[in-house]
Amino acid sequence: MRHIAIVGSGPAGYYTAEAAVKKWGDEARIDVFDMLPVPFGLIRTGVAPDHQSIKGVSRRYEKTAIGDTVRFVGNIAIGRDVSIEELQSLYDAVILATGAPKDRLLRIDGSDAENVIGSAAFVGWYNGHPEFANLNPDLSGRHAVVVGMGNVALDVARILSKTEDEFAGSDIVTHALDALRNSSLESVTILGRRGPHQIMMTPKELGELMQLERASPQVESADLPPLDDDAVLEPGMRKSVTLLREFAAIPPNIHGEKPIAIEFDFFASPKAIDVTDCRATAVVVERTVVEAGRAIGTGETYRIPADIVITCIGYETSPIEGVPFDERAGRFANDQGRILPGLYCVGWAKRGPSGTIGTNRPDGYSVIDIVDEDIGSGHRRRGREGFDDLAAERRLDIVTFRDWQKIEEAEIAAARDGSPREKFVDIESMIAARGL
Ligand code: NAP
């Protein structure tokens, strides 16, 4: 028998659990830990609430979660309730699937102003993550600046721009819907320090900006490279750039019909943030030129008014005491998933915050191949039995998958009309709901 602990119940965690079941069948017991009482990590609190088809992948994880082989151990924080060393002494392999939940920081003057918010916090707020549910961002101003040109920047710009009706069918939490309903935004500027050929946005997500009821995307034709230059791009990227060209061709009268402008500002590197009374009022950017793919400052600067700034410039893994960490890369130090004997990582905790949800599937399967090589048929550890003894001794309150199903039933019962669920946004309410 092999005893496996997976820390984190997001996509990387559950694809790894699925791979373990495929590899070992009944010859393994897999415990999937999460610090929250609810599973699915990024699917629940990262994927945009209006992208329900992507969130549907949790049904697949549910199939893995139900049964005796894989067990969900919610409401247990590794490092707080139980140490990594303790887990390692109980399980043949401990696999960290903890993602990259911390914002990479924009380290410029003024970036600590109270209305400069990282995407982990902002996305966590509209998705009801307990850590960020009380963020209460001030959306009463007219101008938002979104830093970064990846898919998270697109999510944020789109969520800021949608009407209440456009959230029908989504599971955006009510506190966010209320705040967005009362917002007075007129512009959302998306800042890229490089050019149209260097965006990290994918076509489907970019195309959604064309469908918005009250916002229209704007690109300056002068920022676009000559059309022939697109020939060198790989097909997905070429589609994205073609969409930018379509945005540039939208006639001015269409922009006039829509109250919110989503402006793409290319070749604009944030240099400082003007702050008055602890609040950002403008972002100072430096014009760049792109040489050999790198943004080079020209010395020319200008200001973009900002009543709120949301940085969408990537994420980092949270370090865990005793686990080697690669500070520069912002993830665990590892060699193809191996950190130390018996300790592994997978997903964003292994390779950094890139790729789609599906990218974690091969990652999960490959880490299980490696674990299989390393542990053979197991080392007669005590596994979940030993963990349960420890949990009882410490009076830890484990939330099981069956408990989660009750929490989910309560969330579904509380849903607004047309919405799949109304999430509990604090840990106490989640835990209380299992007894309803
Ligand atoms: P990302 O794709 O890596 O984009 C980060 C952006 O931030 C880049 O445009 C980058 O510009 C910019 N940036 C970084 N540091 C900066 C700085 N100091 N100043 C200005 N700009 C800076 O990251 P992401 O948007 O957080 O997305 C993470 C992953 O999740 C991606 O793989 C993404 O595709 C995925 N995701 C997918 C979906 C979806 O499929 N619907 C939705 C959300 C996220 P440079 O390129 O110049 O460094």
Side-chain angles (χ1 to χ4, degrees), residues 221-286:
S221 302
D223 284 339
L224 293 164
L227 185 59
D228 289 350
D229 291 6
D230 292 2
V232 299
L233 301 173
E234 58 87 16
M237 186 63 185
R238 200 179 317 139
K239 267 194 201 157
S240 289
V241 175
T242 302
L243 281 159
L244 294 178
R245 293 187 187 282
E246 287 176 27
F247 297 171
I250 296 173
N253 63 314
I254 299 290
H255 296 317
E257 286 168 11
K258 307 224 176 173
I260 300 179
I262 300 179
E263 296 164 354
F264 284 75
D265 203 344
F266 296 103
F267 308 107
S269 181
K271 285 289 145 199
I273 293 177
D274 288 342
V275 178
T276 307
D277 294 337
C278 303
R279 297 186 63 78
T281 55
V283 181
V284 182
V285 297
E286 181 178 17

Side-chain angles (χ1 to χ4, degrees), residues 51 54 104-106 119 147-153 155 191-194 198-200 202 204-205 268-270 312-315 348 353-356:
H51 281 170
I54 301 180
R104 191 175 287 158
L105 298 177
L106 182 67
S119 54
V147 183
M149 287 207 172
N151 281 331
V152 172
D155 279 348
L191 273 188
R193 57 183 169 181
R194 300 191 290 158
Q198 287 83 32
I199 58 171
M200 302 294 282
T202 45
K204 182 180 156 287
E205 286 65 30
S269 181
C312 306
I313 60 171
Y315 300 103
W348 281 10
S354 66
T356 61

Side-chain angles (χ1 to χ4, degrees), residues 64-354:
T64 303
I66 293 169
D68 291 336
T69 312
V70 177
R71 164 174 99 145
F72 175 65
V73 189
N75 198 35
I76 301 295
I78 306 308
R80 179 192 68 194
D81 300 322
V82 182
S83 71
I84 281 285
E85 292 77 19
E86 285 167 330
L87 275 194
Q88 282 190 269
S89 71
L90 292 169
Y91 294 85
D92 296 309
V94 174
I95 306 173
L96 304 177
T98 49
K102 280 187 2 171
D103 278 306
R104 191 175 287 158
L105 298 177
L106 182 67
R107 296 177 193 280
I108 57 176
D109 282 353
S111 60
D112 54 352
E114 55 191 43
N115 52 343
V116 177
I117 299 169
S119 54
F122 192 71
V123 170
W125 169 73
Y126 64 61
N127 265 329
H129 190 300
E131 196 179 336
F132 305 110
N134 296 322
L135 183 75
N136 200 16
D138 181 357
L139 302 177
S140 64
R142 291 188 295 148
H143 305 294
V145 172
V146 174
V147 183
M149 287 207 172
N151 281 331
V152 172
L154 280 179
D155 279 348
V156 167
R158 187 181 71 254
I159 296 291
L160 282 172
S161 304
K162 277 195 164 182
T163 62
E164 182 168 7
D165 286 352
E166 288 176 291
F167 284 112
S170 82
D171 64 354
I172 189 165
V173 291
T174 294
H175 66 229
L177 193 59
D178 288 345
L180 289 161
R181 186 191 299 119
N182 295 320
S183 112
S184 318
L185 282 182
E186 292 169 10
S187 73
V188 179
T189 304
I190 305 181
L191 273 188
R193 57 183 169 181
R194 300 191 290 158
H197 274 192
Q198 287 83 32
I199 58 171
M200 302 294 282
M201 299 160 162
T202 45
K204 182 180 156 287
E205 286 65 30
L206 210 44
E208 287 175 82
L209 296 189
M210 294 277 248
Q211 315 301 328
L212 295 174
E213 265 175 42
R214 66 168 175 184
S216 68
Q218 305 191 3
V219 167
E220 293 280 342
S221 302
D223 284 339
L224 293 164
L227 185 59
D228 289 350
D229 291 6
D230 292 2
V232 299
L233 301 173
E234 58 87 16
M237 186 63 185
R238 200 179 317 139
K239 267 194 201 157
S240 289
V241 175
T242 302
L243 281 159
L244 294 178
R245 293 187 187 282
E246 287 176 27
F247 297 171
I250 296 173
N253 63 314
I254 299 290
H255 296 317
E257 286 168 11
K258 307 224 176 173
I260 300 179
I262 300 179
E263 296 164 354
F264 284 75
D265 203 344
F266 296 103
F267 308 107
S269 181
K271 285 289 145 199
I273 293 177
D274 288 342
V275 178
T276 307
D277 294 337
C278 303
R279 297 186 63 78
T281 55
V283 181
V284 182
V285 297
E286 181 178 17
R287 260 287 156 249
T288 64
V289 289
V290 174
E291 286 173 14
R294 286 174 57 94
I296 313 285
T298 61
E300 177 197 342
T301 59
Y302 60 97
R303 283 181 161 69
I304 302 169
D307 299 302
I308 184 167
V309 179
I310 300 165
T311 61
C312 306
I313 60 171
Y315 300 103
E316 291 179 355
T317 295
S318 299
I320 300 179
E321 205 177 316
V323 180
F325 196 77
D326 180 339
E327 292 289 344
R328 201 188 49 82
R331 52 174 164 71
F332 297 119
N334 74 94
D335 179 13
Q336 292 176 55
R338 286 187 178 96
I339 304 177
L340 292 170
L343 186 61
Y344 304 83
C345 57
V346 68
W348 281 10
K350 166 190 161 194
R351 60 188 159 78
S354 66

